[in-house]
Amino acid sequence: MTKATAKAPWVVHVNCNSCNGCDIEFLACLTPMYDAERFGVLHIGTPKHADIMVVTGSVNNRNARVLRNLYEQMPSPKVVVAMGVCPATGGIFADGYNVIGGAEKVVPVDVFVPGCPPRPEAMLDGILEGAKILAGKRQNSVTVKPVRRIKIVRPAAPAADPAAAAAAPAPVKEEAK
Amino acid sequence: MSTIVPFGPQHPVLPEPIQLCLELEDERVVSVIPVVGYVHRGLEKIAEKKDFIQDTYLIERICGICSFMHSMSYCMGIEELMSIPVPPRALYLRVIWAELHRIHSHLLALGLLADAFGFENLFMQYWKSRERIMDAMECTTGGRVMLSSCCIGGVRRDIDENQKKFVLDQLKEVEKEVTSLNRTMMEDYSVKQRTVGIGVLSKEAAYAQGAVGPTARGSGLVMDHRMSGYAAYRELAIEPVVETAGDCYARTMVRCREVMQSIDLIRRAFAQLPDSELKTPFKGNPSGEAVIRCEQPRGEVLYYFRGNGTDKLERLRVRTPTFANIPAMLTMVQNCQLPDVGVIIISVDPCVSCTER
Amino acid sequence: MMTINDVITLENQQERISALLPQGYRFVTMTAVDSTTHFDIYYHFDRDYELYTLQLKLDRDAALPSISGLCFAALLVENEIQDLFGITVTGLVLDYHQHLLLTKDAPVKPFCRVPGVSVSTVETAKGGEQ
């Protein structure tokens, strides 16, 4: 069972306060070009079936409750993967009056995938890292104490395209402030 | 005896959180109340805190799907406030990137619609073609989603001959693939069963409720803001794509045909691409008021600017296309069957993060 | 640049707007701006790609009569203005009572400025978090 879960993590996608950039990139992960399903990753609509929750976007006053609720509906053991800089720190929107901050303010996050938005390859790495943590949690689930490891997945190197390599987008720097 | 059913915010058919409280009589929708605010970030206020050059990149993040068009509209507004002339090559490059964005957005919407009525294969195929456009954008700007290539006074980078060849090759492939996919979307019996005659919006209702974009054009309104000739659209003759039925099928047809129109536009823009500088240097701060309107994949966007001579804008307001389409969407959903609600909503192609900013 | 085609007042607001709609004008949107001494409310209409803008100067403590009865499309934007500026909009077809975008625990009237000072009244206390 442990082995099976790590090889076929079911993923529920929660859009909190995202600008859509990470959402469409996450959906692109599931489509033929990146094909997350070759790793057994299945995207499903309901949190009650899910092992991994993918959070995009920062948390605001209205969706904090929704996020918490969805997290609680997931069966244990469960893993939360935060996609992009917004669920990590609030990203470019951190100054907003309605933004509480990253997803960690509401739910425990296991894997952070930085980027605005992260490349689909980095997102896949993040989900697979989450699957490993999930397998570990399942092994330890006999003991009451949950094991939490926080690991930051660096985005994969850009494709060997000179135009892509030359583009160090300025906005990313601004967000880091 | 009616029942109230909440639709969303987390729903398999919705990629983004929006809630519709549906009042049902058996399976028929009697009335509907939208609940928004799940994606409200207060972006207009953040824009007042950052300076107007940083705002270019903030505004891009209103929405990841039409990010380039947002930054383009913003830059056009600031250019108008500060009377900055934009070099002709930059205007054409803007059109090229904007149309690439339109293609990717429409393919995304068509794919999501296919997913909404359970045709997963078609969803995957549309998104596979869309990846070619993403590659074209990455090749020319370095970013897949956030291009950041538009700046005040022009554009940041050029498209060279190799990149041009790559983009045109990709477009050729996309044209071939999408032509055959569109045939399925237009002619397949089971697709038509889910879309024809569903969610009808009459021409009069569309106009009165302020619908824009493919939603309005699907109802027979000839309304495409590219006709007003901003950027280089003045020199590229454009014929708005209009369907008259006003149902989900008509809106889908508009998108299918607009993909082809955009491919054609990019080819013509490349053929006419003039040689010039890429951007005009500028000095000073914006002051005064300006209103800018552009045509995005989902319809017309309105930007209001008020500058006070400092480096921070006093007010920036964005009225996005989905915000204008919500009243029309409520009309469409009324009197339909509950299982059709998802298809109707996706046929409008709502962008919630645009709506709430 | 923006052209303000006409200035209207609270008294003739309803009749001016109801006269515009039969002439083929489409409601585009409304914009509210806090000009510290008063609120500027702009009504944007469109006909044949031409924007027609009406300006209404609203006192800080005055209520704004809704036009959502004349034009259903104004419903959302009027609720938004009520949320963000704290302007009371009367006669709304559907009133969210300042909770369209903001929840009960969110800051109130985030777009309002204090009269005479051009800084926001709401500052988020998020310093030193990173």
Side-chain angles (χ1 to χ4, degrees):
Chain A
M1 186 67 192
T2 307
K3 217 171 176 180
T5 316
K7 298 256 179 199
W10 286 17
V11 178
V12 64
H13 169 215
V14 182
N15 176 333
C16 277
N17 226 355
S18 169
C19 73
N20 268 343
C22 297
D23 303 294
I24 57 173
E25 289 292 79
F26 173 68
L27 277 179
C29 284
L30 306 164
T31 52
M33 178 72 94
Y34 297 99
D35 196 16
E37 227 165 302
R38 68 198 146 124
F39 302 111
V41 175
L42 193 65
H43 177 232
I44 45 162
T46 158
K48 294 242 175 188
H49 301 174
D51 303 307
I52 296 180
M53 176 194 264
V54 169
V55 184
T56 53
S58 52
V59 175
N60 77 8
N61 289 300
R62 181 162 282 177
N63 64 33
R65 192 172 44 84
V66 179
L67 179 62
R68 184 81 223 166
N69 190 7
L70 289 170
Y71 180 77
E72 278 164 7
Q73 283 183 34
M74 284 169 66
S76 281
K78 49 197 163 189
V79 165
V80 177
V81 180
M83 293 290 184
V85 287
C86 292
T89 61
I92 199 164
F93 308 118
D95 291 341
Y97 56 85
N98 202 26
V99 177
I100 300 176
E104 188 125 77
K105 294 262 168 85
V106 182
V107 293
V109 180
D110 298 85
V111 182
F112 290 98
V113 185
C116 186
R119 295 184 57 81
E121 292 92 336
M123 289 189 165
L124 279 178
D125 278 355
I127 295 172
L128 295 182
E129 196 59 47
K132 274 188 215 156
I133 295 174
L134 185 73
K137 279 187 178 178
R138 193 172 273 281
Q139 256 163 0
N140 290 305
S141 61
V142 232
T143 59
V144 184
K145 195 178 155 217
V147 175
R148 262 191 65 206
R149 291 187 304 171
I150 291 181
K151 180 149 187 182
I152 293 183
V153 180
R154 294 281 163 214
D161 178 7
V172 180
K173 282 178 203 156
E174 284 165 21
E175 281 152 25
K177 276 181 204 168
Chain B
M1 161 113 188
S2 61
T3 325
I4 294 194
V5 177
F7 187 88
Q10 182 75 13
H11 190 277
V13 85
L14 298 173
E16 292 180 88
I18 182 170
Q19 191 176 36
L20 296 179
C21 289
L22 306 169
E23 191 185 345
L24 300 181
E25 251 171 32
D26 298 331
E27 288 278 292
R28 195 175 62 87
V29 179
V30 184
S31 72
V32 52
I33 295 173
V35 180
V36 294
Y38 293 96
V39 200
H40 180 60
R41 292 152 288 182
L43 195 138
E44 289 169 1
K45 195 74 199 174
I46 306 174
E48 291 170 22
K49 291 182 186 169
K50 295 183 191 287
D51 72 43
F52 70 98
I53 297 172
Q54 290 174 331
D55 276 350
T56 318
Y57 309 107
L58 175 74
I59 295 305
E60 213 168 15
R61 283 159 178 78
I62 289 180
C63 171
I65 303 177
C66 31
S67 59
F68 183 81
M69 301 205 179
H70 274 297
S71 62
M72 180 172 86
S73 331
Y74 175 80
C75 291
M76 280 164 55
I78 298 288
E79 282 150 12
E80 191 168 314
L81 278 181
M82 299 174 66
S83 316
I84 307 168
V86 184
R89 191 177 177 88
L91 292 177
Y92 273 87
L93 290 175
R94 282 181 181 182
V95 167
I96 290 169
W97 280 313
E99 292 304 320
L100 280 175
H101 255 284
R102 192 180 312 276
I103 301 175
H104 112 78
S105 171
H106 280 346
L107 292 180
L108 176 142
L110 291 168
L112 286 179
L113 181 73
D115 197 37
F117 52 63
F119 201 154
E120 202 171 349
N121 194 338
L122 195 57
F123 162 62
M124 293 288 182
Q125 297 294 336
Y126 268 120
W127 279 58
K128 187 175 155 224
S129 290
R130 179 180 161 270
E131 283 298 330
R132 293 188 184 277
I133 303 293
M134 304 304 271
D135 285 349
M137 290 198 285
E138 189 176 353
C139 166
T140 47
T141 67
R144 279 167 57 88
V145 175
M146 299 297 165
L147 303 188
S148 302
S149 53
C150 198
C151 64
I152 298 164
V155 290
R156 288 157 66 93
R157 53 174 70 234
D158 201 2
I159 295 182
D160 65 22
E161 280 303 312
N162 285 337
Q163 290 168 337
K164 176 182 160 186
K165 186 173 173 298
F166 181 78
V167 174
L168 291 176
D169 286 350
Q170 294 291 350
L171 284 181
K172 205 171 164 187
E173 290 297 312
V174 171
E175 189 177 27
K176 208 163 68 187
E177 289 169 9
V178 174
T179 308
S180 83
L181 292 176
N182 280 355
R183 207 175 299 136
T184 312
M185 201 53 133
M186 289 178 183
E187 290 162 17
D188 190 83
Y189 172 78
S190 55
V191 172
K192 278 184 157 179
Q193 284 292 308
R194 290 303 306 270
T195 52
V196 174
I198 307 285
V200 180
L201 180 73
S202 69
K203 188 175 176 180
E204 293 72 32
Y207 198 76
Q209 310 206 340
V212 292
T215 312
R217 290 197 285 278
S219 295
L221 289 177
V222 185
M223 196 162 78
D224 188 330
H225 216 76
R226 286 178 288 175
M227 298 279 285
S228 69
Y230 62 90
Y233 287 115
R234 192 173 289 114
E235 291 147 42
L236 301 159
I238 290 173
E239 189 66 32
V241 175
V242 179
E243 294 277 334
T244 49
D247 55 0
C248 292
Y249 183 76
R251 289 188 280 279
T252 311
M253 281 315 93
V254 171
R255 292 204 180 85
C256 287
R257 286 169 52 200
E258 278 191 358
V259 173
M260 296 304 163
Q261 185 197 33
S262 294
I263 292 176
D264 178 51
L265 259 177
I266 296 174
R267 284 186 182 144
R268 281 192 284 141
F270 267 125
Q272 299 181 17
L273 194 61
D275 265 331
S276 77
E277 291 292 308
L278 288 183
K279 67 180 193 185
T280 318
F282 63 94
K283 262 190 206 162
N285 292 319
S287 64
E289 287 177 298
V291 171
I292 283 290
R293 288 190 293 164
C294 286
E295 185 76 14
Q296 285 192 341
R298 287 163 187 75
E300 159 212 277
V301 67
L302 180 139
Y303 271 70
Y304 167 85
F305 300 80
R306 183 186 275 188
N308 52 4
T310 65
D311 61 346
K312 299 197 170 51
L313 288 173
E314 198 172 308
R315 174 90 166 105
L316 173 72
R317 155 132 175 89
V318 188
R319 196 294 315 259
T320 53
T322 311
F323 196 87
N325 278 336
I326 284 184
M329 193 164 92
L330 302 183
T331 318
M332 287 174 211
V333 171
Q334 261 170 25
N335 287 324
C336 78
Q337 300 289 311
L338 179 62
D340 290 330
V341 172
V343 176
I344 295 174
I345 292 174
I346 298 295
S347 79
V348 177
D349 192 12
C351 175
V352 182
S353 65
C354 274
T355 312
E356 296 165 18
R357 306 171 303 282
Chain C
M1 287 294 142
M2 190 173 81
T3 355
I4 293 166
N5 300 72
D6 219 337
V7 180
I8 54 171
T9 59
L10 280 182
E11 287 76 48
N12 63 8
Q13 176 220 31
Q14 299 284 327
E15 73 180 273
R16 293 299 298 277
I17 288 170
S18 53
L20 267 184
L21 294 171
Q23 292 172 37
Y25 281 98
R26 172 174 64 93
F27 178 78
V28 177
T29 195
M30 285 163 68
T31 301
V33 189
D34 188 345
S35 307
T36 61
T37 51
H38 62 277
F39 293 110
D40 278 322
I41 312 277
Y42 297 112
Y43 293 89
H44 304 287
F45 291 87
D46 167 283
R47 190 171 68 180
D48 298 331
Y49 309 115
E50 289 287 328
L51 204 65
Y52 189 87
T53 304
L54 300 172
Q55 186 188 30
L56 175 75
K57 287 190 172 152
L58 188 74
D59 291 338
R60 289 198 78 89
D61 48 358
L64 178 71
S66 166
I67 60 161
S68 60
L70 303 171
C71 178
F72 182 69
L75 171 80
L76 274 179
V77 65
E78 285 186 335
N79 269 297
E80 187 185 284
I81 288 171
Q82 185 166 252
D83 262 35
L84 302 181
F85 290 87
I87 299 172
T88 315
V89 183
T90 51
L92 278 166
V93 178
L94 180 63
D95 197 344
Y96 286 85
H97 300 288
Q98 303 205 349
H99 295 305
L100 174 75
L101 295 173
L102 303 173
T103 45
K104 287 199 175 77
D105 41 3
V108 286
K109 309 184 199 174
F111 279 64
C112 271
R113 297 161 197 269
V114 180
V117 190
S118 65
V119 275
S120 158
T121 45
V122 179
E123 279 295 327
T124 41
K126 288 214 174 71
E129 220 171 66
Q130 277 94 20

